[in-house]
Amino acid sequence: MNADLEPIDIIEKKRRNSLIGLTLCFSLWQIGQIATLNFKGLFNESVFLFFSMVTFVGALGVVGLFIYHRKANNLIKKHPELCHQINDERSCHLRNQALAYGFSGAVASSSLFLALSFVTEQVDSDIVFSGAFVSHSIMLITVITSLVAYLILDKEV
Amino acid sequence: MTLPIGNNLKVWRAKFDLTQAQLAEKSGVSRKTINTLERGIYIPSVALALTIAMVFETDLESVFFLIRE
């Protein structure tokens, strides 16, 4: 492999680590947001500050990794002849499998929230899950399930 | 029930003195794909299997085969 292509080789190897980082940062960001938007009244000041910091750190991480991925994409664009190697049939297959797992996660979490709402209604009819909380949580579970599935499937044994 | 698929990729690579990365480049896939193919973790598409057989200048059944119990 000539010197021109070495940066791409390095990026491919770091891709997995950056994806792990993205999964963690996105989780922190969204969990922090869900907590601060939906459970504000239940927290004292220090807990609220903690979750706000978690949101901020997570969001920063996502932005940083997004910029890193953009740089990686720009580098890859300089070598279009490598696209079929970086984006080969196996990676497309894994992506589809990961999306399928994400969809299963979406269905499972929707069902769970539906079941929870029935149970809580019987226990205490005053307990209500807001639409924003439910959809935000389902979105988070779907994305994290897809990312984690991809990382597990892509792991070189 | 579909029988599992085995391969002689490592043997053929040694015959042609190719690394996984070199075979990957000739086949138009990533090195990771070749690695998972050799370990039997990933089953190639017909197109990829035929491409790899073409790289080794042999027929498909010499490289990939069904494992009969």
Side-chain angles (χ1 to χ4, degrees), chain A residues 8 20 44 47 69 104 106 115 121 124 142-144 147-148 153:
Chain A
I8 291 176
I20 292 169
N44 62 32
V47 175
H69 274 285
S104 302
E121 207 180 298
D124 183 351
T142 306
V143 172
I144 296 304
L147 286 171
V148 170
L153 291 167

Side-chain angles (χ1 to χ4, degrees), chain B:
Chain B
M1 198 175 88
T2 318
L3 293 170
I5 294 175
N7 65 80
N8 293 321
L9 277 172
K10 214 166 182 175
V11 172
W12 280 99
R13 273 201 304 113
K15 269 187 198 170
F16 279 74
D17 193 27
L18 291 174
T19 62
Q20 285 185 345
Q22 287 167 335
L23 176 59
E25 208 175 332
K26 287 176 184 287
S27 311
V29 293
S30 66
R31 186 204 56 81
K32 226 178 201 181
T33 300
I34 298 297
N35 183 272
T36 51
L37 276 175
E38 275 187 19
R39 291 169 183 268
I41 296 167
Y42 178 66
I43 308 297
S45 65
V46 172
L48 177 56
L50 284 168
T51 304
I52 291 172
M54 194 175 70
V55 169
F56 292 135
E57 297 163 9
T58 187
D59 54 298
L60 184 61
E61 287 81 8
S62 301
V63 186
F64 297 98
F65 49 86
L66 289 172
I67 301 171
R68 297 170 203 276
E69 288 167 29

Side-chain angles (χ1 to χ4, degrees), chain A:
Chain A
M1 199 168 276
N2 62 42
D4 243 0
L5 304 176
E6 277 171 6
I8 291 176
D9 197 36
I10 293 166
I11 284 165
E12 266 285 290
K13 284 174 186 173
K14 287 184 178 175
R15 189 173 55 90
R16 186 177 170 75
N17 290 336
S18 68
L19 204 53
I20 292 169
L22 183 68
T23 307
L24 287 170
C25 290
F26 183 78
S27 306
L28 286 175
W29 176 29
Q30 292 302 310
I31 288 169
Q33 268 211 314
I34 290 170
T36 52
L37 288 174
N38 298 289
F39 300 104
K40 222 185 310 186
L42 300 173
F43 296 153
N44 62 32
E45 268 181 37
S46 49
V47 175
F48 186 79
L49 181 65
F50 169 75
F51 277 112
S52 302
M53 291 304 295
V54 163
T55 308
F56 180 67
V57 167
L60 263 182
V62 168
V63 167
L65 285 162
F66 181 72
I67 292 168
Y68 173 82
H69 274 285
R70 289 283 303 171
K71 280 171 76 174
N73 283 340
N74 288 338
L75 192 59
I76 290 165
K77 275 180 189 167
K78 288 181 189 172
H79 297 277
E81 71 279 5
L82 285 184
C83 280
H84 61 278
Q85 278 189 274
I86 291 164
N87 223 13
D88 64 358
E89 65 170 52
R90 181 181 158 270
S91 67
C92 291
H93 174 70
L94 291 185
R95 227 189 329 253
N96 290 337
Q97 273 193 299
L99 287 173
Y101 277 112
F103 174 74
S104 302
V107 172
S109 53
S110 308
S111 309
L112 186 68
F113 275 113
L114 188 61
L116 261 172
S117 69
F118 283 134
V119 169
T120 51
E121 207 180 298
Q122 300 306 313
V123 169
D124 183 351
S125 56
D126 288 336
I127 299 174
V128 173
F129 294 122
S130 74
F133 167 67
V134 171
S135 45
H136 206 158
S137 303
I138 290 171
M139 186 267 292
L140 173 64
I141 291 168
T142 306
V143 172
I144 296 304
T145 306
S146 293
L147 286 171
V148 170
Y150 184 84
L151 286 168
I152 292 171
L153 291 167
D154 192 41
K155 189 171 161 52
E156 220 169 320
V157 178

